[in-house]
Amino acid sequence: MKLLVTGGAGFIGSNFIRMYLERHADCEIVNLDKLTYAGNLENLRSVEDDPRYRFVRGDICDRKSVDDVMPGIDTVVNFAAETHVDRSIGDPEGFLKTDIFGVHVLLESARANAVGRFVQISTDEVYGPAMGEPLREDAPLNPRNPYAASKAGGEYLARSYFLTYDFPVIVTRGANSVGPNQFPEKVIPLFTTNAIEDKPLPLYGSGEQERDYMHVLDHCTGLDVIIEKGEPGEIYNVGAGNHMKNIEMAKLILKELRKPEELIVHVQDREGHDFRYAMDSTKLEGLGWKPLYNTRDAILDAVRWYVGNPGWWKPLKSGEYREYYEKMYRQRLDEAGASG
Ligand code: NAD
Ligand code: TYD
């Protein structure tokens, strides 16, 4: 099987590529990635000399770059996206481009090349807040920030190719993933690396919000099962079904690192902050998938990885990122009377 993985130099994509090469001896993978701030070839050092793997730098919005790599591909797995909610609130345009238009370019090229399967990686955020029972795949969508709305647009477009052209599209909706190689703007690596450096943990609002923090390897094994056994035209939730409040997550990280809870600083809440995500993944479990980590173990595994790999995240927290962090948090932390 020959896979085109887009966005494979990012967090989930790189974990997926490493796992897939390990699990499937006879596969080939082409990784097409633009290498935005979130793409990092360090994540793929361990496989860069594997003859079954090839990296190509390119933008999924650019038809030529996509057409160049598409011939001979059996399955497209589209991870490429702008992914951070806070950035989407500040500057939505890049999200619309990559997360909607980029999907269109990939679909057109894949259809022209009669690709056998197109897996669009989407997110639980398209459902919006889930305050009651965990949501199944047929629940109405209610995206409430530009990231979630762009991802909803991308998956609607992908599904339209199944409904209109009978093109074999599958949509997956993953929960908040945690683990190695996550860019330190997302909450778990941000809080962990801040705590290691004795810096404040900027907790949005009350901290009572809940997420289904799922180990990235569980997300990736779910995708592996879907690629193998999923039905074209279907949508699959990928969530471990565990939940934790952000305040509990912050305390868990601090306890593991033996740092004081005083590092937690309640700052101004995120605009339109979704209170809780909760998905029912029974449909995927029906294909034989079972997550291995509960939320606590997933978070602790991630924390230990950042403790053991300062050489990975320290360079990412300087330069351009420092500017972003200053812009993003300075006012929030100043208002809360904390130094960053
Ligand atoms: P990430 O931000 O870590 O990585 C995104 C990758 O896409 C980077 O390597 C980046 O260089 C690449 N990229 C961005 N724009 C591109 C473009 N125009 N062309 C080619 N490559 C481009 O993201 P992630 O957290 O690994 O998420 C991967 C996918 O999974 C996304 O589609 C995201 O919406 C989805 N998802 C993420 C989570 C999560 O918790 N992180 C949960 C559910 C779904
Ligand atoms: P994040 O990792 O950005 O993922 P998402 O918004 O896609 O779920 O945030 C996870 C949760 O953590 C979310 O409820 C917002 C909260 N959060 C903070 O409290 N402080 C922060 O600095 C960040 C980035 C997030």
Side-chain angles (χ1 to χ4, degrees):
M1 168 120 86
K2 189 166 174 184
L3 262 60
L4 172 63
V5 173
T6 59
F11 164 48
I12 307 178
S14 61
N15 276 279
F16 174 82
I17 289 174
R18 296 196 306 264
M19 181 214 70
Y20 204 86
L21 288 168
E22 204 176 300
R23 284 184 155 203
H24 301 272
D26 59 353
C27 72
E28 271 181 74
I29 297 181
V30 178
N31 172 17
L32 180 73
D33 197 298
K34 185 178 172 183
L35 296 183
T36 67
Y37 75 95
N40 186 349
L41 290 179
E42 281 304 316
N43 302 348
L44 295 157
R45 280 279 170 256
S46 62
V47 299
E48 68 183 2
D49 293 328
D50 190 317
R52 298 169 299 159
Y53 167 76
R54 182 162 71 96
F55 172 70
V56 178
R57 186 167 192 179
D59 186 336
I60 62 164
C61 299
D62 175 38
R63 181 69 192 257
K64 185 173 178 320
S65 302
V66 172
D67 278 347
D68 282 350
V69 294
M70 198 61 80
I73 294 296
D74 303 305
T75 297
V76 172
V77 189
N78 179 30
F79 292 97
E82 291 294 335
T83 61
H84 190 38
V85 172
D86 293 319
R87 287 187 193 247
S88 85
I89 293 169
D91 189 5
E93 195 171 305
F95 288 73
L96 271 67
K97 279 189 186 142
T98 294
D99 302 9
I100 302 177
F101 183 72
V103 179
H104 156 72
V105 173
L106 281 174
L107 285 163
E108 280 297 302
S109 179
R111 197 163 75 88
N113 283 275
V115 163
R117 189 158 283 216
F118 188 105
V119 182
Q120 171 62 15
I121 308 298
S122 192
T123 165
D124 58 1
E125 306 212 10
V126 297
Y127 292 117
M131 302 310 291
E133 287 297 301
L135 299 175
R136 288 200 329 229
E137 288 81 354
D138 55 3
L141 302 191
N142 179 24
R144 292 174 10 114
N145 58 63
Y147 164 63
S150 307
K151 291 298 291 185
E155 66 160 80
Y156 272 136
L157 186 68
R159 264 180 66 70
S160 81
Y161 274 59
F162 174 76
L163 299 166
T164 307
Y165 306 114
D166 201 23
F167 185 62
V169 168
I170 297 176
V171 170
T172 70
R173 295 186 183 138
N176 283 67
S177 302
V178 305
N181 304 114
Q182 187 170 32
F183 195 84
E185 64 187 354
K186 306 284 165 55
V187 75
I188 304 281
L190 177 71
F191 280 13
T192 303
T193 58
N194 276 15
I196 293 170
E197 296 184 309
D198 296 307
K199 290 184 176 155
L201 276 51
L203 189 67
Y204 292 166
S206 65
E208 292 293 311
Q209 299 83 4
E210 285 181 32
R211 293 292 183 269
D212 174 2
Y213 292 107
M214 168 174 72
H215 201 287
V216 66
L217 291 179
D218 281 330
H219 193 163
C220 291
T221 59
L223 298 177
D224 191 12
V225 170
I226 290 166
I227 290 167
E228 198 185 323
K229 300 186 192 157
E231 284 292 325
E234 294 295 319
I235 300 169
Y236 295 93
N237 289 340
V238 190
N242 296 300
H243 293 96
M244 194 178 276
K245 290 180 193 293
N246 288 335
I247 180 81
E248 289 165 14
M249 168 270 291
K251 286 181 182 171
L252 176 65
I253 291 173
L254 291 169
K255 188 165 179 232
E256 173 66 13
L257 296 173
R258 296 191 173 80
K259 300 284 183 176
E261 287 188 5
E262 286 67 40
L263 281 179
I264 297 174
V265 178
H266 290 266
V267 297
Q268 185 198 330
D269 207 351
R270 171 185 283 171
E271 299 84 342
H273 194 171
D274 285 344
F275 196 80
R276 177 176 187 259
Y277 298 133
M279 290 187 299
D280 178 331
S281 300
T282 309
K283 187 168 164 185
L284 175 56
E285 284 162 13
L287 297 183
W289 175 75
K290 208 171 164 324
L292 293 179
Y293 293 81
N294 61 36
T295 293
R296 190 175 179 279
D297 292 344
I299 292 172
L300 291 181
D301 190 66
V303 169
R304 288 170 196 145
W305 189 86
Y306 294 96
V307 169
N309 291 277
W312 184 86
W313 56 264
K314 283 211 164 153
L316 299 179
K317 289 191 85 172
S318 58
E320 203 187 319
Y321 176 89
R322 179 136 297 282
E323 271 173 46
Y324 158 80
Y325 186 86
E326 285 289 324
K327 202 168 133 212
M328 192 69 213
Y329 291 101
R330 173 56 48 209
Q331 197 189 345
R332 283 185 155 126
L333 287 168
D334 282 350
E335 277 169 10
S339 57

